Amino acid sequence: MTISETQVAIIGGGPSGLLLSQLLHLNEIDNVVLEQRTRDYVLSRIRAGVLEQGLVDLLDEANVSQRLHAEGEVHSGCEIAFNDDALRIDFAELTGGKGVTVYGQTELTRDLYEARDEMGGTIVHEANNVQLQDLDSDQPSVTYEHSGATHQLKCQFVAGCDGFHGVSRSCIPNSVRREYSRVYPFGWLGVLSQTPPVAEELIYAATSSGFALCSLRSRTLSRYYVQCPLDDDISDWPDDRFWEELKSRIPAAAARALVTGASIEKSIAPLRSFVCEPMSWKRLFLAGDAAHIVPPTGAKGLNLAASDIYYLSRALIDYFNNGTETGLGAYSDKALDRVWMAERFSWWMTNLLHRFPEHSGFDEKMQRGEFTYLKSSQTAQAALAENYVGLPY
Ligand code: APR
Ligand code: PHB
């Protein structure tokens, strides 16, 4: 067995792990990222692409935002439609000039990998059978298999950034860990197509046959979604059926303007809300999807990972530079306060815009009433906009 040493062992090379690695390295804190997949595999995952200003600021600080500023689009509003009744939420006007940046998570992950390479960061891909040891001592370690050999990485802290299906979360003992979750009775069928987006801004659409979303990656690449039953399979959705369904769910003017084309990616994702408490135990700190999942309505997943990394990076920097453990001690509570607010917003938007199989006529009237209120009240719109552009860190 080979033995090596670092200050922070980071499990998972998704956006959370890579961003933490980059921020720590910039502050001269040694770290190693252990990722179970290949880089190509990580970069083949298509995820959301709406970045809050807080995340953009953090990427500036991490020196990885050059391409984002050149290619990303700043959006100062979005549309919310109930059948043909549409409402524009003017983020800029309602939040004193704030907006979001549209830039794909896959591109962001690519930028992070490139930045880590340039700085000579250590990322071990295809690290198998990762196991966390001695987390309740001053010298935890992580063992893993790579290229047929077993390795031990000694460290001072472990950052569990290994997503929802990772191993880190389960290292918090059952007697301490509490998990909260809701599984929604539908999924999102997503299509990526090399077509111009149907509109300048995102359109979130609720109809009696279900939710639809028109999003984009660039002026030539569009991302669309329709709500679908959980047991549907991709093979149930040839492109023609997808485009017909999408057209029937978005406002008529958008349906007329929609340019369709061959899908270059198509996938079905279930919708889930999930939170693990606490987000830290002894020398282990969870961040991103390892600790929480939001349904994609509202695009909070990546942004929530970013606020975790903001708190965690500062706490670790404070520990290594100033010898204080205050930030590390406060990390879980601080991160969870913001997590629960984003969970609430994502749950609210999901409930407002989707068709639930178990809904009664009364429930549907409640959704309609909520939309009518939103349309008639600047205060309600301001609350939506404030959450959408991102609550402060
Ligand atoms: N050992 C090592 N790596 C692992 C293990 C393991 N046992 N289990 C999972 N991983 C890796 C995965 O292969 C993945 O690359 O951890 C990484 C976790 O990345 P993400 O799932 O992207 O999670 P995170 O970095 O927290 O990013 C959050 O991504 O999942 C979306 O909606 C989410 O947008 C949000 C953002
Ligand atoms: C996306 O572009 O993939 C996207 C945008 C907004 C969401 C979810 C997904 O709320």
Side-chain angles (χ1 to χ4, degrees):
M1 181 158 75
T2 66
I3 300 179
S4 56
E5 208 159 338
T6 190
Q7 288 172 297
V8 182
I10 300 174
I11 318 299
S16 300
L18 295 171
L19 182 55
L20 179 64
S21 171
Q22 178 74 357
L23 290 165
L24 294 181
H25 196 158
L26 285 167
N27 285 276
E28 290 165 15
I29 299 167
D30 193 54
N31 66 86
V32 172
V33 176
L34 301 176
E35 164 58 52
Q36 75 175 358
R37 305 285 190 167
T38 63
R39 186 174 295 201
D40 283 348
Y41 181 92
V42 175
L43 291 175
S44 68
R45 295 189 292 229
I46 307 289
R47 299 268 171 79
V50 176
L51 279 49
E52 295 172 358
Q53 191 56 44
L55 170 52
V56 174
D57 292 344
L58 201 57
L59 296 168
D60 285 341
E61 182 185 321
N63 284 339
V64 283
S65 56
Q66 216 178 341
R67 199 157 67 91
L68 164 104
H69 287 298
E71 296 175 16
E73 278 184 20
V74 175
H75 283 208
S76 56
C78 78
E79 192 167 296
I80 302 213
F82 254 71
N83 300 310
D84 252 346
D85 199 357
L87 161 70
R88 179 170 186 266
I89 304 290
D90 190 329
F91 305 145
E93 195 181 292
L94 293 159
T95 64
K98 293 188 185 148
V100 291
T101 301
V102 171
Y103 187 69
Q105 179 174 319
T106 313
E107 296 314 305
L108 175 58
T109 311
R110 191 187 309 283
D111 296 342
L112 282 162
Y113 272 127
E114 280 172 15
R116 296 313 298 122
D117 289 347
E118 264 170 42
M119 287 185 73
T122 310
I123 302 173
V124 181
H125 281 280
E126 298 180 87
N128 293 311
N129 194 19
V130 167
Q131 290 185 24
L132 283 49
Q133 328 269 356
D134 302 323
L135 292 167
D136 53 355
S137 77
D138 311 346
Q139 173 94 97
S141 71
V142 181
T143 56
Y144 62 98
E145 286 156 23
H146 184 251
S147 301
T150 303
H151 305 266
Q152 184 186 32
L153 177 63
K154 293 184 174 173
C155 56
Q156 294 180 55
F157 297 99
V158 179
C161 302
D162 47 352
F164 183 63
H165 300 288
V167 289
S168 303
R169 187 174 63 247
S170 60
C171 296
I172 301 181
N174 285 338
S175 57
V176 179
R177 178 163 39 98
R178 178 122 192 237
E179 298 182 349
Y180 302 83
S181 89
R182 164 155 305 178
V183 176
Y184 298 87
F186 41 74
W188 276 20
L189 167 66
V191 158
L192 191 67
S193 68
Q194 235 140 25
T195 51
V198 67
E200 296 279 320
E201 296 179 341
L202 273 66
I203 305 173
Y204 288 87
T207 69
S208 48
S209 48
F211 170 78
L213 169 61
C214 304
S215 182
L216 58 133
R217 294 288 175 271
S218 71
R219 288 293 117 200
T220 53
L221 196 57
S222 298
R223 182 70 167 161
Y224 297 107
Y225 299 93
V226 294
Q227 173 188 349
C228 68
L230 261 184
D231 50 11
D232 271 15
D233 187 83
I234 294 296
S235 59
D236 300 324
W237 288 92
D239 287 0
D240 287 351
R241 180 181 174 207
F242 176 82
W243 293 120
E244 278 316 304
E245 193 60 38
L246 180 68
K247 275 187 199 165
S248 75
R249 294 188 191 184
I250 58 180
R256 281 193 299 275
L258 184 73
V259 179
T260 63
S263 61
I264 53 175
E265 195 266 357
K266 195 186 281 171
S267 50
I268 295 179
L271 270 70
R272 178 197 297 273
S273 299
F274 172 87
V275 179
C276 164
E277 285 191 354
M279 283 175 58
S280 66
W281 183 72
K282 310 283 181 183
R283 294 285 174 133
L284 171 67
F285 295 84
L286 302 179
D289 278 20
H292 41 72
I293 297 284
V294 286
T297 337
K300 289 291 163 232
L302 175 63
N303 292 299
L304 215 43
S307 55
D308 291 350
I309 297 303
Y310 174 90
Y311 298 129
L312 183 55
S313 60
R314 270 153 180 74
L316 286 167
I317 292 164
D318 222 21
Y319 175 84
F320 284 109
N321 290 354
N322 307 320
T324 154
E325 290 195 34
T326 321
L328 290 172
Y331 168 70
S332 176
D333 286 347
K334 212 166 180 178
L336 280 166
D337 276 349
R338 193 170 188 281
V339 165
W340 280 115
M341 288 192 284
E343 289 284 346
R344 185 208 66 82
F345 177 65
S346 307
W347 161 87
W348 175 80
M349 247 185 116
T350 302
N351 281 304
L352 173 68
L353 298 172
H354 289 77
R355 187 168 166 75
F356 287 69
E358 73 273 20
H359 264 184
S360 65
F362 178 82
D363 296 313
E364 283 165 23
K365 287 286 184 193
M366 286 296 98
Q367 288 177 314
R368 180 79 223 181
E370 183 102 39
F371 179 72
T372 309
Y373 171 55
L374 197 58
K375 249 193 120 169
S376 65
S377 162
Q378 286 278 108
T379 312
Q381 290 175 31
L384 195 163
E386 179 185 37
N387 282 276
Y388 198 93
V389 301
L391 298 173
Y393 288 3

